[in-house]
Amino acid sequence: EHERSPRCWYGGAVGMVGFDGSLNTGLTLRTVRVQNGVAEVRAGATLLYDSSPPAEELETELKASAMMDAIIASHDDDADATSAAPKKKANNNVGDGKSVVLIDHEDSFVHTLGNYLRQTGAQVQTLRSGPSALQALTELIHNRQKPDLVVLSPGPGNPSDFGLSTTIDFLTNHRIPAFGVCLGLQGMVEHFGGRLGVLSYPMHGKPSMVSLNTKLLPSVSSTTNEQQQGSIFTGLPESFEVARYHSLYGIREHMPDCLEMLAFTTEDGIPMAIAHKTLPFAAVQFHPESILTSPAHGLRLLENALRYLNYNDDDNDDDGTDDDDA
């Protein structure tokens, strides 16, 4: 009675039942349905107790516009393909030839995050968190297919709900670099000895400005990559807007010594990015894959994670063979 048209399939779910009895589903939010040659776009905003109707309408139009652009761009590409010569594919993507395992902590953003990672050129495999994910990683290692990077996805609840400390132990033991998003950052903070707090005001679907820690990145305002080499923020501005979906956060005063805080919210100094001092581990509290974060910034951040989070080749001798197997 409060909406001008029925939602129909919007807000429903699609899924699959595996032969092993597992069930995997995804909500049909921010979705395009093609039926009888017609593409139907539906999108919604994040409704909260403090929502502003005009702002929610603008957010809905923004989300829908991204899908409309995708449809139009696809149509234009099809038209160009019939008249233009094939274009030579660029081969300078940072992810070319690299493999990424994305561990899903039951988050609605995981497929969008996976899409961003694929845009780097990397091969991406998504695994649902838990013992099955660690078993799959073990098999990859034994088959000499150890991933170049594991990405710890966002998710609801606490890191302990998903055994994130066990996952991080596994990654450190097998010398696999890791990049965390939202819950992934919180899991790293707890695992390495830090403490989490609860925000007095939940930031779910909220934009915030973040500022980089120029004490650690003194040349961050420079445009030359050489001066910022090794940072996940290479090539990004000193301050920019990001999307936040969290109520837990790493407490600045209780951050472990082994973690460096690379960025904070401009307004209240909440840690927004961390990096381990000696391990190729880094994470951000915000969502680089959200439409509320500039796509150019989000993609660049993930490219930097693939480029800079790695062990030295001469030190990375884990071939998946345990001592007992020798």
Side-chain angles (χ1 to χ4, degrees), residues 39-326:
E40 181 181 4
V41 176
R42 286 182 176 266
T46 306
L47 293 177
L48 302 169
Y49 73 95
D50 60 348
S51 292
S52 164
E56 301 301 342
E57 178 66 22
L58 290 174
E59 182 182 339
T60 299
E61 293 175 3
L62 176 64
K63 292 176 178 177
S65 69
M67 293 182 289
M68 295 293 291
D69 289 345
I71 295 170
I72 295 170
S74 177
H75 176 75
D76 291 344
D77 289 345
D78 291 342
D80 292 343
T82 62
S83 57
K87 296 181 180 179
K88 185 179 293 185
K89 181 182 177 181
N91 57 358
N92 58 348
N93 290 328
V94 66
D96 286 346
K98 294 186 177 182
S99 64
V100 174
V101 168
L102 172 58
I103 296 185
D104 173 22
H105 300 112
E106 302 177 17
D107 186 72
S108 58
F109 280 94
V110 69
H111 295 300
T112 307
L113 182 56
N115 176 269
Y116 266 53
L117 289 165
R118 290 183 181 92
Q119 289 183 52
T120 69
Q123 295 292 318
V124 182
Q125 180 180 3
T126 303
L127 301 174
R128 179 60 61 88
S129 66
S132 62
L134 300 187
Q135 179 59 39
L137 281 169
T138 300
E139 292 176 3
L140 288 172
I141 293 169
H142 277 273
N143 291 330
R144 299 182 181 275
Q145 297 176 332
K146 183 164 68 172
D148 297 284
L149 181 71
V150 166
V151 176
L152 305 173
S153 88
N158 298 288
S160 58
D161 296 336
F162 299 94
L164 259 168
S165 190
T166 300
T167 301
I168 295 172
D169 261 338
F170 180 95
L171 299 178
T172 54
N173 289 340
H174 290 279
R175 303 177 62 78
I176 302 175
F179 180 73
V181 177
C182 198
L183 185 78
L185 177 143
Q186 297 160 14
M188 288 188 190
V189 169
E190 276 200 333
H191 176 79
F192 291 112
R195 288 173 53 187
L196 301 179
V198 180
L199 295 172
S200 59
Y201 189 93
M203 300 297 289
H204 292 158
K206 303 289 187 181
S208 288
M209 293 297 296
V210 299
S211 298
L212 305 188
N213 186 351
T214 54
K215 292 181 180 179
L216 291 176
L217 304 169
S219 303
V220 76
S221 59
S222 172
T223 57
T224 59
N225 286 349
E226 290 77 14
Q227 290 177 294
Q228 304 173 42
Q229 190 170 11
S231 167
I232 60 172
F233 290 109
T234 294
L236 294 178
E238 184 175 326
S239 181
F240 55 96
E241 190 172 69
V242 300
R244 297 170 65 186
Y245 291 83
H246 69 108
S247 55
L248 297 178
Y249 70 100
I251 300 175
R252 187 171 183 167
E253 295 76 15
H254 295 283
M255 197 67 65
D257 291 339
C258 64
L259 296 180
E260 294 179 324
M261 293 175 282
L262 303 182
F264 307 93
T265 53
T266 304
E267 63 271 21
D268 54 7
I270 299 295
M272 285 287 110
I274 59 171
H276 198 282
K277 292 181 179 179
T278 59
L279 298 174
F281 279 45
V284 292
Q285 181 60 71
F286 58 87
H287 284 244
E289 80 287 3
S290 171
I291 198 169
L292 296 179
T293 301
S294 166
H297 295 344
L299 184 59
R300 183 58 181 267
L301 190 69
L302 296 175
E303 289 175 339
N304 288 339
L306 272 166
R307 180 179 287 114
Y308 296 121
L309 296 179
N310 51 71
Y311 286 93
N312 294 329
D313 290 339
D314 55 345
D315 292 336
N316 196 359
D317 58 358
D318 182 357
D319 62 359
T321 303
D322 296 332
D323 293 338
D324 293 340
D325 296 334

